[in-house]
Amino acid sequence: MGGGTNPVAAVVFDLDGVLIDSEQVWDEVRQAYVAERGGRWEPDSTARMMGMSTAEWSTYLTSLGISGTPQLIAAEVIDLVAARYGAAPPLLPGAVEAVQAIAAHHLLGLASSSPRALIELVLDRSGLRASFAVAVSSEEVSRGKPAPDVYLEAARRLGAPAAACVAVEDSSNGLRAASAAGMAVVAVPNAHFPPAADALALAAATVPVTADLTVDVIRAAAARPR
């Protein structure tokens, strides 16, 4: 796998904001959910939840003045997001083709803050299941992004050293998580919620849209000194 003096052991993709145009869907659903239940949405609520695991964001929502257990809140919000996705998840233009092209040369993993149920839905309905050797939800690790746990677990399941992997991320907390795991990072800045300058500075390469991801971009990111 890979080439030159900086072989790429694996490429690990984020899901929301990289493969599907969903960050704003999550935001809209959670804001409406809190409002309908008489809660208060804080100015930094959106930024705080980006990258959180299901357990983390559902617990956070209870602090906004709504009733219910985190488990119930999570189940209801996930059902609402799944209903918004419908039969056709909002795939970003060129995402499927980019993944398939890179999968022809490198082992792929997925490291997502989405719950397992939505990861499976997207993989099935996008036709991308065969492209990914592993998929990890932050539900399955101790901490969500910006902690590196989900990326480290993806590398472990892939049997690849994290330092020999390249991650593809769109958000501040995602960029921080992948970098903290020791991976080279390619940034695809989220159009709805652009990453902070300090997080974007962690990227070894940046492309404007997912369709611009290529094997050459991945390998160039891996070759940059860290």
Side-chain angles (χ1 to χ4, degrees):
M1 297 291 180
T5 58
N6 293 276
V8 177
V11 182
V12 185
F13 283 81
D14 177 38
L15 179 67
D16 295 285
V18 171
L19 302 183
I20 56 174
D21 191 18
S22 54
E23 294 285 14
Q24 76 282 5
V25 174
W26 278 99
D27 192 57
E28 291 165 6
V29 166
R30 289 191 288 217
Q31 285 205 45
Y33 184 88
V34 169
E36 288 165 5
R37 285 153 183 78
R40 61 189 184 285
W41 192 262
E42 301 292 348
D44 64 346
S45 290
T46 297
R48 288 184 64 173
M49 281 189 287
M50 291 190 77
M52 281 187 177
S53 68
T54 302
E56 290 168 339
W57 62 252
S58 58
T59 299
Y60 173 76
L61 288 185
T62 66
S63 75
L64 300 183
I66 61 175
S67 60
T69 65
Q71 293 80 9
L72 174 65
I73 291 168
E76 291 180 342
V77 170
I78 290 166
D79 283 348
L80 289 168
V81 172
R84 286 282 297 271
Y85 287 0
L91 289 160
L92 283 161
V96 169
E97 293 79 5
V99 167
Q100 291 172 337
I102 294 168
H105 298 274
H106 294 292
L107 185 67
L108 300 192
L110 192 69
S112 175
S113 298
S114 275
R116 170 60 61 180
L118 292 183
I119 292 173
E120 299 297 330
L121 181 153
V122 173
L123 290 179
D124 283 338
R125 296 180 183 175
S126 66
L128 285 175
R129 179 172 295 281
S131 296
F132 291 97
V134 305
V136 186
S137 166
S138 58
E139 290 180 329
E140 299 159 11
V141 295
S142 297
R143 301 172 297 171
K145 302 170 185 178
D149 302 29
V150 70
Y151 277 105
L152 293 172
E153 178 62 13
R156 187 191 69 79
R157 294 188 193 182
L158 288 164
C165 295
V166 176
V168 183
E169 268 289 356
D170 69 302
S171 69
S172 293
N173 283 344
L175 291 162
R176 292 174 181 132
S179 179
M183 297 184 181
V185 191
V186 177
V188 187
N190 191 286
H192 305 283
F193 308 106
D198 67 303
L200 192 57
L202 298 170
T206 301
V207 294
V209 293
T210 304
D212 289 340
L213 281 171
T214 64
V215 171
D216 286 343
V217 169
I218 295 296
R219 293 178 180 174
R224 284 196 60 181
R226 278 175 275 158

